[in-house]
Amino acid sequence: MKRITKFLTAISLSTMTLTSCADLFETKISMLTNGSISNLTSLVVPEVTIDQLDAPAQIFVSQAESSTKINISWSKVDGATSYYLERAISTAKDVNGRFICPDESEFKPMPIKRIYATSYEDTILTNPSYSSEEYSYGYFYRVCAENPRLKYESSEFKLSEVAYLLAPPSSVKASRGESTTNIKVTWNKVPGAKYYDIYYSESDTGSGAQYITTINANQNWYNDVVVNSLKGKDLYYSVYAKTSANTSVASALALGYTLQEGAPPQVTDVVVVEGRGNTTNEIEISWKAVGDFDYAVYRTSSKDASFTLLRKEGKTNTYKDTKALKPNIYYYYHIQAFKDENGVKVKGPFSDSGSESKTPAEAFLLVPPSNITVMKNKLDASRCTITFPPVIGSKDYSEDSGLTSDYNNYEYVIYGCDTADGAFTEVESFKDSTLSKDASGNYIIPITTKNYYKITTKNGSESNFSDVCAPAPFAASNLECSRAANVDGDANSNGVLPVKITWNPPKNDVAEGGYYVYRSTNPDSGFKKITDEPLMATSFIDNYDAAKAGVYYYYKVLSLNSLGQGSNYTDAVVGYGALTADQYMREYNKTVMASQKKLKLMHIADDMKKLGNETAYGKLSGSLSYNASIAGLGARILMHYTDYAEFYANGDAANGYYFFLNGDTNTSASMDASGNMDGIVTIQGMYPGSVSYNNIKIKGGAAGGGTYGIKRDGFDGQVEVDWQVGEEGK
C-alpha cells in the first residue's frame, strides 16, 4: 500500500516545561492531514494510513483447463474487502502467433461487480461444440483491490497473461482409401493438451462412438489398424484433447475407410466446369471416368473441413451443385468411384482435389461487392467516389485459396437511382484491372453523383445486386467534449461524473440518419460505439460506469445517411468527467502526500532538530517550503506550495500537469497540542479548483475534526468534505 508516516514522537507531559514548547510544536502538530487523536502521555509509534490499496501481487488464469470455463485467482491485498474484475477478448495475434492484449477500452466488467473472494469462475460457453468460435479466442483479465466501506482509493489494475479454453482438435482428417489395412487420422495440436483420445463411429452423426486409444500430445496423428469386419466401411473419427483433469468436446467428424481388394482406382482430373466466379447459384464439376463405376460426390469448404455427401451414387462423371451454397466461401469437391459386388459396396480412394491438393477442384459463386462506401466530393458535388474490397476470385482478394493463379478480371457495373426503392439504371462500368486502390487495398471508383447506388459483378454472367448504398454525409462539425465540467447526472462508483459531447451538423450537408458516438482511451485506435441507436440530436451525455479519475477519454462522432451508413468521422476529441468533492480530495491528496514525504526536518527523531526551514521540490515542477517556529506558548508551521506538480495528466507530459498547486497549508497549536489549520491551495491542471484548510481542527497534535472546503471550477459554492476523506480507516 502507499502509506504516509505520521509526524509524531514520544513525549511526556510531566517533563514538559516552558522551554520545551519546541518539543511540543515539533512532535505534536502533524503537517500531514491524516491523523488520529494522540495521547500526550502515551508512547506514540510511527503510524500509517492507506493512500491507495496495493494491486494484487499476482493474478493467475487457467490455460486449457476447461472446455467451458476460465478460472481466475489473485493474491490477497491487505486492507481490501472486495475486488473488481474485468475481461477483454482478443482475436488478433502477433507474428509469433501470440494473442495481442486489447486496448484498455476493450475491457468489460464481470457480471458480479464486487467479488469478495480472491477467485472467480468465468463461464465462457454453456453449449460448447467443435464449431464454437470462442475456442479461437484469447482472454485477458485485470483485477483491482477495493474497500468501498472505508473508501480507500482502489488499487491499480493487475493484468493477467492470456487465458484460453481447452479447445477440441481442429482440421481432423482421416485417410480415405489410401491403405488396405489402416486409416491414418491427423489433426492440429491443441495448446495445453497432454493427451488425445481417439474414437470411431460407423454413423455419420457420430452416435455410438467407440474408444480406440489415448496418445501423448507430442503426437498429432494415429494409424488405426482396421479389423477385417470394418474394412471398406465408412468410419467417422473424432478426437478429444485432454489435460490431467479435463477433456475437450469432440472434434468434427473425419470420414475415413480402408481400400478393399479389387476397388476402383482413384478418380483424377476433377475440374470446375462452371463456378469459379461465373455463376450465381450453382457449381458444375466434372472428372475423368475411371471405368463403369458409380461415383459419389463430396464437398468441403474453406469454412468447414467436414465432408458433405452431395451425391450418393450415379454413373455420370459430371455434377451440378445447388445445395445451400453461400457467397464468399471456397468449395472443394471430392469424387469417389465405387462398385457393387454381391450387395457389398467396394469403394475406391477419394480424388486428390481438396484444398491441400496441387490441383484443387475449387469453386466459388459470383457475388456483388460488399462493404461499399460512397464518399462525396467536397469540391465538386456532381462527383462521388465509391470504394469496396476486392471480390472473391479476383487477384486482389485477400482470403486464402487453394489456387495461386486463374484469377478473374471482373467488371463492376454501377447502377443509380434517385430513390432507394426505385428503378435503378446503369451509370457506368469498370474492369477491376483498371482500378486503383487505396492504402487499405480497397478499389476506388470515381462516379457521377446519385442519391442511391447498387453494384453488380460481371464475369460472363452478372451477379445479384449489392445492398443499396448512398453517399455518406460529411463529418459532423465543431465536436466538443466536456472536461471536468458540471454535467447533469450521477457519479459512478469511482466518483466520476458524466461527460457531455456536443457537435454541429456537417457543413454544407445533412446527416439524415443521425449520428453514432464512439469512445476510446487511445486517440488513434480502439474506438467502440457507445450509442445503440442513431442519435437525431446533436448532443449526448456519456454516463460511463467504468470511467476513472485521471484518465483521458477520446470521442468521435460518425454522421449517417438515410440508410444508416457513414464513413466520415470527426477527429477524436478529449473529454473526461468532473469528480465528486470527496473524490477530488482523494486525487488532490496524492500530490500533497507525495510532496510531504520529501520533507526531512519533520521526520527527524531528535525533536529539537525539527525547527527550521527547508524546501522540497516537485518531481515535475515547483517547490514546497517548510518553516517551523515557536509562536508564543505554542507553535506555528507554515507550508507553502509554489507551482508544485508531481504527476502528468493521463500520465503524458503532452497533456500538462495533473494537479498544479499554489497556496498554503498552515498549522497553529497551543500547549495542549490543539489548534487549527488555515490556508487555501489553488489548483490548476486536469481538475481546476481549490482546497481550503480553514475548517480543519487539530486535536492531540494531529488533524482530528472539521472539514476541507472543496471548490471545483464550474460548480457553485464550496462543498465541505469530512477531514477523514482520503485518510479513511484510522
Side-chain angles (χ1 to χ4, degrees):
M1 299 176 188
K2 298 179 182 177
R3 301 176 184 270
I4 306 301
T5 302
K6 292 189 64 179
F7 177 36
L8 295 174
T9 59
I11 247 184
S12 170
L13 190 60
S14 62
T15 62
M16 188 178 297
T17 66
L18 185 59
T19 59
S20 66
C21 284
D23 294 342
L24 168 65
F25 160 68
E26 294 167 24
T27 61
K28 291 305 171 182
I29 303 174
S30 171
M31 284 300 87
L32 298 179
T33 57
N34 61 313
S36 57
I37 298 174
S38 301
N39 186 327
L40 293 178
T41 60
S42 66
L43 287 176
V44 183
V45 298
E47 298 181 55
V48 295
T49 186
I50 297 173
D51 174 25
Q52 182 179 25
L53 291 169
D54 286 335
Q58 294 177 304
I59 178 172
F60 305 95
V61 291
S62 60
Q63 295 177 323
E65 291 181 6
S66 166
S67 61
T68 59
K69 300 175 182 178
I70 291 174
N71 292 309
I72 310 100
S73 62
W74 52 89
S75 50
K76 183 179 179 181
V77 173
D78 290 341
T81 57
S82 60
Y83 301 88
Y84 177 80
L85 183 66
E86 293 183 336
R87 179 187 71 194
I89 300 173
S90 174
T91 59
K93 294 183 179 181
D94 61 19
V95 293
N96 297 313
R98 295 173 296 201
F99 283 104
I100 298 171
C101 184
D103 180 80
E104 181 185 67
S105 63
E106 302 280 342
F107 282 85
K108 306 299 180 186
M110 293 291 99
I112 299 176
K113 299 290 186 180
R114 192 164 290 158
I115 301 170
Y116 294 97
T118 56
S119 63
Y120 184 81
E121 186 177 75
D122 186 14
T123 299
I124 305 296
L125 287 168
T126 54
N127 295 297
S129 74
Y130 73 87
S131 60
S132 298
E133 293 184 356
E134 287 79 1
Y135 289 122
S136 62
Y137 301 158
Y139 302 86
F140 288 86
Y141 296 83
R142 62 181 192 175
V143 63
C144 69
E146 297 181 318
N147 190 328
R149 181 174 61 84
L150 296 179
K151 298 184 179 179
Y152 290 163
E153 181 70 19
S154 298
S155 76
E156 301 292 336
F157 277 106
K158 182 69 174 180
L159 179 67
S160 75
E161 295 183 346
V162 65
Y164 46 85
L165 296 171
L166 177 60
S170 61
S171 297
V172 181
K173 297 180 176 66
S175 58
R176 299 167 300 279
E178 297 174 14
S179 168
T180 60
T181 59
N182 60 277
I183 297 172
K184 186 175 183 179
V185 184
T186 61
W187 57 90
N188 292 338
K189 287 186 175 181
V190 175
K194 294 185 176 181
Y195 313 97
Y196 298 107
D197 285 347
I198 297 98
Y199 286 76
Y200 83 92
S201 171
E202 295 183 50
S203 169
D204 60 5
T205 65
S207 62
Q210 299 185 50
Y211 170 77
I212 301 175
T213 190
T214 298
I215 62 172
N216 289 325
N218 61 345
Q219 183 174 311
N220 64 328
W221 57 269
Y222 177 72
N223 270 322
D224 182 26
V225 179
V226 180
V227 298
N228 290 335
S229 61
L230 295 177
K231 286 183 177 179
K233 289 187 176 182
D234 286 345
L235 301 178
Y236 298 88
Y237 290 86
S238 55
V239 184
Y240 296 78
K242 293 183 67 175
T243 64
S244 299
N246 292 289
T247 302
S248 75
V249 296
S251 70
L253 296 174
L255 169 64
Y257 58 89
T258 55
L259 188 66
Q260 295 173 284
E261 186 175 345
Q266 186 179 47
V267 173
T268 60
D269 298 327
V270 184
V271 296
V272 176
V273 178
E274 295 287 342
R276 281 194 54 78
N278 55 5
T279 58
T280 59
N281 56 11
E282 67 178 19
I283 295 169
E284 182 179 358
I285 59 172
S286 69
W287 56 93
K288 184 178 179 180
V290 293
D292 186 22
F293 301 113
D294 276 302
Y295 298 95
V297 180
Y298 291 83
R299 184 183 74 196
T300 56
S301 77
S302 56
K303 299 296 184 183
D304 188 353
S306 298
F307 285 90
T308 299
L309 177 60
L310 299 175
R311 189 177 84 176
K312 188 175 182 180
E313 58 188 4
K315 294 291 187 181
T316 62
N317 63 331
T318 61
Y319 177 74
K320 284 188 177 182
D321 180 16
T322 60
K323 294 183 179 179
L325 294 170
K326 297 179 180 179
N328 300 313
I329 294 178
Y330 290 108
Y331 291 102
Y332 301 93
Y333 293 87
H334 313 258
I335 310 301
Q336 175 196 63
F338 67 91
K339 62 182 179 179
D340 188 291
E341 287 189 351
N342 300 320
V344 176
K345 186 177 182 180
V346 181
K347 304 185 294 293
F350 268 39
S351 60
D352 179 20
S353 52
S355 60
E356 298 175 354
S357 172
K358 293 181 180 179
T359 55
E362 179 189 78
F364 48 89
L365 297 178
L366 178 66
V367 297
S370 58
N371 299 318
I372 303 167
T373 61
V374 186
M375 305 288 288
K376 295 181 178 180
N377 189 320
K378 291 183 178 181
L379 301 179
D380 183 357
S382 68
R383 302 292 290 174
C384 286
T385 300
I386 295 176
T387 63
F388 54 84
V391 172
I392 185 172
S394 67
K395 183 178 180 180
D396 300 309
Y397 188 67
S398 60
E399 298 294 331
D400 291 337
S401 167
L403 296 180
T404 57
S405 60
D406 190 24
Y407 298 111
N408 295 309
N409 184 16
Y410 291 127
E411 179 182 4
Y412 301 106
V413 184
I414 317 295
Y415 294 84
C417 187
D418 291 332
T419 61
D421 55 358
F424 282 75
T425 58
E426 182 175 339
V427 179
E428 204 167 348
S429 65
F430 303 85
K431 285 281 191 179
D432 65 7
S433 58
T434 67
L435 298 176
S436 58
K437 291 183 289 184
D438 63 18
S440 299
N442 296 317
Y443 289 134
I444 304 172
I445 299 177
I447 194 75
T448 301
T449 298
K450 295 289 184 181
N451 290 338
Y452 298 94
Y453 298 95
K454 290 181 181 180
I455 307 177
T456 64
T457 306
K458 257 188 180 180
N459 186 25
S461 301
E462 187 171 13
S463 73
N464 299 323
F465 281 119
S466 68
D467 292 336
V468 178
C469 52
F474 294 137
S477 59
N478 300 324
L479 175 64
E480 295 183 356
C481 302
S482 64
R483 301 189 187 191
N486 186 2
V487 175
D488 287 340
D490 296 330
N492 66 15
S493 60
N494 297 317
V496 180
L497 290 154
V499 176
K500 185 174 183 179
I501 304 102
T502 61
W503 61 92
N504 291 336
K507 292 181 179 179
N508 303 317
D509 202 357
V510 60
E512 294 178 336
Y515 307 89
Y516 283 133
V517 180
Y518 294 75
R519 178 186 61 228
S520 176
T521 54
N522 188 314
D524 303 314
S525 62
F527 282 89
K528 292 294 183 183
K529 182 160 63 73
I530 60 174
T531 47
D532 293 332
E533 300 295 333
L535 301 172
M536 302 313 295
T538 55
S539 65
F540 178 70
I541 302 296
D542 183 21
N543 295 283
Y544 184 28
D545 287 343
K548 297 176 179 63
V551 177
Y552 272 16
Y553 295 94
Y554 298 87
Y555 294 88
K556 294 198 301 188
V557 172
L558 175 65
S559 305
L560 304 173
N561 60 26
S562 61
L563 300 175
Q565 302 165 342
S567 57
N568 293 314
Y569 295 84
T570 62
D571 292 335
V573 173
V574 171
Y576 52 87
L579 305 180
T580 62
D582 281 18
Q583 192 63 34
Y584 192 98
M585 185 63 201
R586 295 187 185 100
E587 297 301 316
Y588 159 79
N589 242 9
K590 293 177 182 179
T591 296
V592 170
M593 291 180 177
S595 71
Q596 292 178 357
K597 286 180 180 179
K598 298 180 180 181
L599 295 173
K600 297 179 179 178
L601 288 178
M602 65 186 295
H603 301 299
I604 296 175
D606 186 340
D607 297 339
M608 291 301 296
K609 295 182 179 180
K610 294 180 179 180
L611 291 173
N613 303 290
E614 68 171 313
T615 301
Y617 296 95
K619 181 178 179 180
L620 304 180
S621 170
S623 61
L624 166 62
S625 64
Y626 167 95
N627 177 275
S629 62
I630 302 300
L633 297 180
R636 179 69 173 165
I637 301 175
L638 305 177
M639 298 178 72
H640 179 74
Y641 289 98
T642 302
D643 296 342
Y644 191 96
E646 281 285 323
F647 311 105
Y648 288 122
N650 204 44
D652 188 340
N655 301 326
Y657 301 123
Y658 189 35
F659 279 78
F660 186 77
L661 311 185
N662 281 281
D664 302 286
T665 64
N666 305 321
T667 303
S668 298
S670 60
M671 281 288 293
D672 64 355
S674 63
N676 59 275
M677 294 189 71
D678 62 88
I680 296 176
V681 176
T682 59
I683 300 155
Q684 295 173 287
M686 192 168 172
Y687 300 100
S690 66
V691 176
S692 170
Y693 288 77
N694 293 331
N695 288 329
I696 292 294
K697 307 300 181 184
I698 298 297
K699 296 180 182 179
T707 58
Y708 298 103
I710 307 297
K711 283 187 177 181
R712 296 159 293 166
D713 283 12
F715 289 77
D716 293 334
Q718 178 171 293
V719 178
E720 299 301 318
V721 171
D722 189 89
W723 68 280
Q724 296 181 95
V725 170
E727 325 296 342
E728 297 90 349
K730 292 302 297 175

